[in-house]
Amino acid sequence: DEDIIVEEIPVYLSKALKESLYVLQYPNKLNHTNFDKSNVVNCCVKPINQEVKIDFALETACEYYDQFKGEQFALAADGKGPNKSDRPTFRRGIMDKQSYTSSKSLEDVDKYVIGILHDGEIHLSTITSVLQMRPSLSYFDKQDKRAQAEQKSESDYDNEEEKLQQVTVKFSRADADRLQKAREKTYEYHVKKIAEEPWCETFWHPRTSTTSELERQKLFASRMESIGHSLSLHPSQYIQKLVLSENSDQNIESILPSKVVCKAKLKTMGLTEQIRIILKDCKMLSFNGLMSVLEEVDKQITADKVLRALPLTAVLIRGNWVPQSEVLYPPETVSNINGVPAELMIRGRDYILYQFSKQNFLHRRKIIIATQLPHEEVHEILQSVARI
């Protein structure tokens, strides 16, 4: 039994946010918690590597916040006397924000979309990337680097100054290139390239702001014209929509290649010109085959008319009609392969046609010697009039 259709829901595709729609996931957060009411103090992105960093403000005045620990974390991150060239992590001298950085959750997101069900309609939008946001504890790395630098400076001060010696180092270019390619495949090199891309600061707009509302409107398809559903048509009507009608044959010429002639244009030509074009494309046809093609163009065509027009543009070779050499090689043209002039190609082809009228088989090597044509041109001629 066929399934019962409960409801038909139209589906629309919006492409307004095709290159800038990211899905942020927070795996460390509970289901009932969100950041709708959180205060974002900074937001940065790396467009090339598609990374996002968001700094959420912490409520330092809350009774559950430990002021002493917050100051210790800030001191560990920025030190006692922060360097003016370095940007401090916590400007107020206290840990007053929590950073979240992203990592790619999926590499291939082409098969995923975001959908909104609104007023009985589904609006889909393609996404750029799916990112998982996790807390960043980079200030601990700063503390470790500072401790290592201080330890190194103390050890250098205690050790005696070593005598400097000049050393000559030579590198093989081949080995250097090979090592460079191998280095580019390592994880450390990949991490370094990501770290080299600078963060680009962006503006954060709250959920209830006007700008956010305007961006959310882009999730809805702007043009929702009614499109006829193909499955609701009768099979004969569906076929008629797919196949061009007789009245629309005139418009097909604009989409065809330059050397292809449509049936509508053939109808406007004379019989001799029709035969010339058909034989030029087919290279060789029997009389019955030619009549079947011409009858599709003109159903009132007669065999007598065709027989009177054929000798003007074709040659009969062993029961089949082939175009005259002048049709295939017009004056002041050259062959497609080696650029042989049309005059030489006509002479060579006429020689081959004459030999075929006298015997059933031809030797390609003898033809090349007799016509003095290149091997490729002889092969092209034989392929159009014989079985090789």
Side-chain angles (χ1 to χ4, degrees):
D1 296 338
E2 296 183 357
D3 295 334
I4 300 175
I5 299 177
V6 179
E7 184 179 359
E8 292 186 0
I9 301 176
V11 180
Y12 302 98
L13 178 63
S14 174
K15 299 181 180 180
L17 299 174
K18 183 179 180 181
E19 302 294 337
S20 57
L21 184 57
Y22 292 80
V23 177
L24 303 184
Q25 300 174 337
Y26 294 86
N28 300 99
K29 287 292 182 180
L30 300 177
N31 294 333
H32 63 274
T33 59
N34 56 61
F35 292 105
D36 291 344
K37 298 181 180 180
S38 300
N39 182 21
V40 176
V41 296
N42 190 27
C43 181
C44 304
V45 297
K46 289 186 177 182
I48 299 177
N49 292 290
Q50 295 183 352
E51 289 191 358
V52 178
K53 182 176 70 172
I54 304 176
D55 294 338
F56 294 97
L58 296 178
E59 297 182 7
T60 57
C62 179
E63 59 179 339
Y64 301 106
Y65 183 84
D66 192 334
Q67 294 281 342
F68 177 73
K69 284 292 184 181
E71 293 175 356
Q72 279 190 327
F73 284 137
L75 182 62
D78 301 326
K80 296 181 180 179
N83 192 354
K84 294 182 179 180
S85 61
D86 295 337
R87 186 175 181 178
T89 305
F90 305 106
R91 298 181 180 180
R92 295 172 51 194
I94 188 173
M95 183 179 175
D96 55 356
K97 63 181 180 179
Q98 174 67 63
S99 299
Y100 279 77
T101 56
S102 66
S103 61
K104 281 191 177 182
S105 176
L106 296 172
E107 291 295 334
D108 185 13
V109 296
D110 293 338
K111 57 184 178 181
Y112 295 96
V113 294
I114 289 179
I116 298 179
L117 179 61
H118 180 72
D119 293 339
E121 300 172 348
I122 294 180
H123 297 261
L124 304 179
S125 299
T126 58
I127 60 179
T128 305
S129 182
V130 179
L131 305 177
Q132 289 190 350
M133 306 296 295
R134 290 183 171 86
S136 174
L137 307 177
S138 58
Y139 45 84
F140 287 126
D141 298 335
K142 279 189 172 183
Q143 182 182 9
D144 295 339
K145 290 180 180 179
R146 188 179 299 103
Q148 292 176 1
E150 292 176 356
Q151 185 178 2
K152 183 178 179 181
S153 61
E154 291 178 359
S155 62
D156 292 343
Y157 179 78
D158 295 337
N159 295 334
E160 295 181 358
E161 184 178 358
E162 297 181 358
K163 185 178 180 180
L164 300 178
Q165 295 181 355
Q166 185 176 359
V167 179
T168 303
V169 181
K170 295 182 179 180
F171 296 94
S172 174
R173 183 172 181 81
D175 293 340
D177 295 341
R178 180 174 55 82
L179 292 175
Q180 178 64 21
K181 292 181 180 179
R183 192 180 298 111
E184 291 177 357
K185 297 180 181 179
T186 60
Y187 174 76
E188 291 78 5
Y189 181 84
H190 179 68
V191 173
K192 181 181 177 182
K193 293 296 290 184
I194 294 177
E196 288 177 354
E197 183 184 359
W199 288 104
C200 300
E201 293 192 2
T202 60
F203 292 99
W204 178 275
H205 299 279
R207 180 184 178 88
T208 57
S209 65
T210 305
T211 305
S212 297
E213 181 61 29
L214 292 176
E215 291 297 315
R216 277 195 297 272
Q217 291 300 319
K218 295 180 181 180
L219 295 173
F220 297 91
S222 57
R223 298 182 62 186
M224 298 181 294
E225 294 87 351
S226 177
I227 302 176
H229 204 289
S230 301
L231 298 179
S232 63
L233 298 175
H234 190 271
S236 60
Q237 296 176 347
Y238 179 65
I239 294 297
Q240 289 179 1
K241 285 185 173 293
L242 297 179
V243 180
L244 293 173
S245 61
E246 292 291 335
N247 297 331
S248 61
D249 285 347
Q250 301 289 343
N251 299 327
I252 198 174
E253 186 180 353
S254 60
I255 63 175
L256 290 177
S258 58
K259 295 183 179 180
V260 178
V261 180
C262 63
K263 185 171 67 174
K265 189 173 182 179
L266 276 177
K267 293 180 180 180
T268 62
M269 298 178 180
L271 180 58
T272 304
E273 187 68 13
Q274 292 177 358
I275 295 174
R276 186 186 69 82
I277 292 176
I278 294 172
L279 289 179
K280 185 177 180 180
D281 291 339
C282 298
K283 299 296 189 296
M284 179 183 292
L285 276 178
S286 64
F287 183 77
N288 293 333
L290 179 61
M291 284 297 299
S292 63
V293 176
L294 291 173
E295 287 175 353
E296 293 184 4
V297 179
D298 185 5
K299 296 182 179 180
Q300 298 180 355
I301 193 71
T302 61
D304 294 337
K305 291 182 180 180
V306 176
L307 288 174
R308 287 196 298 267
L310 270 172
L312 301 177
T313 186
V315 179
L316 182 63
I317 300 294
R318 296 194 172 275
N320 293 304
W321 290 94
V322 297
Q324 295 179 0
S325 300
E326 290 79 6
V327 174
L328 297 178
Y329 306 105
E332 299 182 358
T333 60
V334 295
S335 62
N336 297 327
I337 303 175
N338 292 312
V340 179
E343 183 180 357
L344 298 179
M345 293 295 296
I346 292 173
R347 290 180 182 178
R349 187 173 183 274
D350 288 344
Y351 174 81
I352 293 174
L353 294 180
Y354 175 77
Q355 293 296 331
F356 261 126
S357 65
K358 299 297 182 181
Q359 50 188 329
N360 294 331
F361 301 95
L362 296 179
H363 295 280
R364 188 187 308 178
R365 184 174 299 177
K366 293 181 180 180
I367 294 175
I368 295 175
I369 296 174
T371 60
Q372 295 297 309
L373 291 177
H375 172 270
E376 293 82 0
E377 270 67 14
V378 173
H379 183 271
E380 179 184 348
I381 296 173
L382 290 174
Q383 198 173 25
S384 64
V385 297
R387 180 178 297 175
I388 301 177

